[in-house]
Amino acid sequence: MESLPRRLPDRTHMPDTSAVTVLLVEDDEVIRRSVALALERYGYRVTTAADGLDGLERFRDDRPDLLLLDVMLPGLDGIGLCRRIRETSTAPVLMMSARGDSLDVVSGLEAGADDYVVKPVDTAVLVARIRSLLRRATFAPAQQREQGARAATADRLVFGDLAVDPAALEVYRDGEEIALAPTELRLLLEFAAHPGIVLDRQTLLRNVWDYGWDGDSRVVDLCVQRLRKKIGADRIETVRGFGYKLRR
């Protein structure tokens, strides 16, 4: 973790974070304290846990807005904790890995994490990732903003047995509603807005993950994999060498 600034960050142009609670689960006391202090300087309310089992209990008691999980935790590791959280919640999950190797990254994303950072992480990068995840969890699509009072809900977009309601943020398959995590929902809405059009990974990273720089395309691949399990394996087609497209 980078050395912390001596002065509080300038809040003039910062979003209001006073109502946002972050649960930080990290077994290294030095890292746990420094990360918590850094986030508190940016206005976040931070609760902490030193192991996975305590983290699971804190999650159930506090219901935080976002979770920041270390991969290597005693008792219940970060991957297992993420899986337990995903059984009952779609809250944004950001994984922290000391190594950033493929196994950690893939395992975390497969377990349901929305994104990951590699330790030691720059405070500004960490805060940017957190803000991005929170935007994904609370966004209102452009179609809903534009229609506003003209209609309570937008017409559903139908693709075979899949129906997407962009205004209500609801997805149905064979008439049954599907529960999607915020990132999965934003990814599907991006595909639904461009049916039959191939979207490359960098475009998806920019439009769905809010990356203003080249990110790790594995987060796209693993999120597509999770989405396919919920909406049908054949609904999103891989166009090798280019990206993905939603079949009409």
Side-chain angles (χ1 to χ4, degrees):
M1 190 72 187
E2 66 170 358
S3 59
L4 297 175
R6 295 182 179 179
R7 294 186 298 173
L8 292 175
D10 179 8
R11 298 188 186 278
T12 305
H13 304 291
M14 290 174 58
D16 180 19
T17 58
S18 58
V20 175
T21 300
V22 176
L23 173 58
L24 167 63
V25 187
E26 165 62 64
D27 62 320
D28 187 302
E29 184 177 1
V30 174
I31 296 176
R32 187 171 65 249
R33 287 183 176 181
S34 62
V35 172
L37 179 57
L39 295 180
E40 287 169 352
R41 287 175 180 266
Y42 278 85
Y44 295 98
R45 294 177 60 242
V46 182
T47 59
T48 63
D51 62 68
L53 293 175
D54 186 30
L56 183 60
E57 184 176 348
R58 293 290 180 91
F59 163 73
R60 290 169 173 169
D61 291 341
D62 300 341
R63 291 295 170 177
D65 300 293
L66 182 141
L67 297 99
L68 185 57
L69 311 179
D70 185 28
V71 171
M72 303 298 292
L73 293 171
L76 177 66
D77 67 17
I79 308 299
L81 176 56
C82 184
R83 288 197 181 98
R84 297 288 294 274
I85 289 167
R86 280 290 174 256
E87 292 175 358
T88 59
S89 174
T90 59
V93 175
L94 181 61
M95 302 293 297
M96 296 190 299
S97 169
R99 295 172 294 177
D101 62 21
S102 296
L103 181 59
D104 279 354
V105 172
V106 171
S107 297
L109 295 172
E110 285 182 337
D114 296 280
D115 205 348
Y116 78 98
V117 291
V118 178
K119 297 188 295 185
V121 59
D122 181 87
T123 299
V125 172
L126 178 60
V127 170
R129 296 289 182 88
I130 289 174
R131 288 176 180 169
S132 175
L133 285 175
L134 291 172
R135 283 196 297 271
R136 286 180 235 165
T138 60
F139 81 107
Q143 182 176 353
Q144 183 182 15
R145 294 195 299 268
E146 292 170 0
Q147 291 186 348
R150 290 184 295 166
T153 59
D155 292 336
R156 290 183 180 179
L157 306 175
V158 179
F159 309 94
D161 62 353
L162 183 70
V164 180
D165 189 331
L169 302 180
E170 294 173 346
V171 179
Y172 298 85
R173 185 182 183 194
D174 288 330
E176 297 292 329
E177 186 171 3
I178 303 171
L180 298 180
T183 304
E184 295 167 352
L185 178 58
R186 279 195 67 160
L187 180 61
L188 179 57
L189 289 174
E190 185 69 18
F191 282 127
H194 307 89
I197 297 175
V198 178
L199 301 177
D200 64 73
R201 291 171 177 81
Q202 292 306 318
T203 296
L204 293 171
L205 282 171
R206 182 174 61 250
N207 294 347
V208 177
W209 278 263
D210 293 329
Y211 278 13
W213 61 93
D214 288 345
D216 188 340
S217 63
R218 287 176 294 184
V219 300
V220 176
D221 298 334
L222 271 296
C223 193
V224 167
Q225 179 178 312
R226 296 202 312 265
L227 189 56
R228 281 172 168 162
K229 292 179 180 178
K230 297 181 179 182
I231 69 171
D234 298 331
R235 184 56 53 193
I236 299 176
E237 180 182 348
T238 300
V239 181
R240 295 190 180 279
F242 293 93
Y244 301 99
K245 69 177 180 179
L246 181 69
R247 289 181 172 171
R248 296 178 184 271

